[in-house]
């Protein structure tokens, strides 16, 4: 039996069919093998038949029109299957869906405890901040967990804003820090990267997937902007 012919347990699909949140399953060949009606409605379709058995570029919905997004989603399937680790992301696709949404992706196992695919779920997100993710410059699929531990969360906040093209003065205003503090932080960050120019810094971040990490601060409107954070940097 090929990966695209996996037979899903009826108890599983009947349960997922009843859930109001969108759920989907993709196999190791990267094809969708399950989509509940909540997902069908979410992407603006009428039937799961338009999704099941298809690759991203074969699904007639605007959410799947972007080849770059499709490439990242397929890479995520491979990552989850190969590492058997879960990932959490923030998806921002203006024009394709009404608002940003949270997506969690976990390994999908068969009855022999073999990882044969990935299960994905979607949670609607109606409130977000950081100037709506800084003038729409961010990629569509954002990591909600740090890709590694090279930088602290505080440093990642500066990295996040710097990669959007913000000056030290503007970063300081958003994080309630002096521009001198931000400049010192950037020097420390550049030193860790082993670079001295922004282009090299940007390339370094892309290579480590740091350009896709959204610090938790920017998901919590109670903590973001104009708070007087007294923690030392």
């Amino acid at each position: 039996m090929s990966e695209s012919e996996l037979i899903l347990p009826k108890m599983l699909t009947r349960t997922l069919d009843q859930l109001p949140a969108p759920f989907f399953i993709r196999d190791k060949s990267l094809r969708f093998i399950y989509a509940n009606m909540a997902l069908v409605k979410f992407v603006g379709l009428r039937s799961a038949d338009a999704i099941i058995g298809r690759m991203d570029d074969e699904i007639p919905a605007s959410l799947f029109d972007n080849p770059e997004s499709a490439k990242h989603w397929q890479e995520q399937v491979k990552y989850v299957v190969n590492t058997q680790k879960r990932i959490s992301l923030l998806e921002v696709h203006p024009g394709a869906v009404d608002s940003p949404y949270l997506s969690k992706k976990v390994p999908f196992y068969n009855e022999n405890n073999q990882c044969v695919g990935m299960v994905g779920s979607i949670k609607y997100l109606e409130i977000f901040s950081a100037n709506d993710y800084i003038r729409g410059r961010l990629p569509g699929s954002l990591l909600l967990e740090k890709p590694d531990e090279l930088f602290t969360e505080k440093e990642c906040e500066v990295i996040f804003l710097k990669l959007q093209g913000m000056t030290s003065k503007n970063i300081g205003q958003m994080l309630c820090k002096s521009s001198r503090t931000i400049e010192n932080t950037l020097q420390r960050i550049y030193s860790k990267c082993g670079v001295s120019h922004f282009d090299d810094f940007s390339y370094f971040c892309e290579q480590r997937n740091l350009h896709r990490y959204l610090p938790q601060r920017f998901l919590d409107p109670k903590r973001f902007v104009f708070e007087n954070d007294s923690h030392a940097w």
Side-chain angles (χ1 to χ4, degrees), residues 9-68:
K10 286 189 176 181
M11 290 180 63
L12 171 64
T13 57
R14 288 187 65 182
T15 298
L16 295 179
D17 285 342
Q18 304 302 313
L19 296 177
F23 276 86
F24 58 92
I25 302 175
R26 300 180 70 155
D27 65 16
K28 293 170 70 173
S29 72
L30 309 181
R31 293 186 178 277
F32 287 81
I33 58 173
Y34 172 78
N36 67 356
M37 281 307 299
L39 179 71
V40 173
K41 293 179 180 178
F42 179 75
V43 301
L45 297 173
R46 295 185 177 181
S47 169
D49 292 338
I51 300 176
I52 296 174
R54 302 190 182 196
M55 298 287 286
D56 304 77
D57 60 356
E58 299 170 339
I59 300 174
S62 58
L63 183 61
F64 299 95
D65 285 344
N66 189 324
E68 184 178 355

Side-chain angles (χ1 to χ4, degrees), residues 213-233:
Y213 174 57
L214 180 66
Q216 293 299 308
R217 177 189 187 107
F218 303 134
L219 277 175
D220 186 349
K222 295 179 181 179
R223 293 180 58 200
F224 178 67
V225 182
F226 309 130
E227 72 169 343
N228 184 13
D229 189 346
S230 61
H231 293 293
W233 283 46

Side-chain angles (χ1 to χ4, degrees), residues 84-103:
Q84 297 187 40
K85 295 180 179 179
R86 69 177 187 178
I87 53 176
S88 300
L89 308 116
L90 173 69
E91 300 284 350
V92 185
H93 303 279
V97 290
D98 293 336
S99 64
Y101 61 91
L102 297 174
S103 177

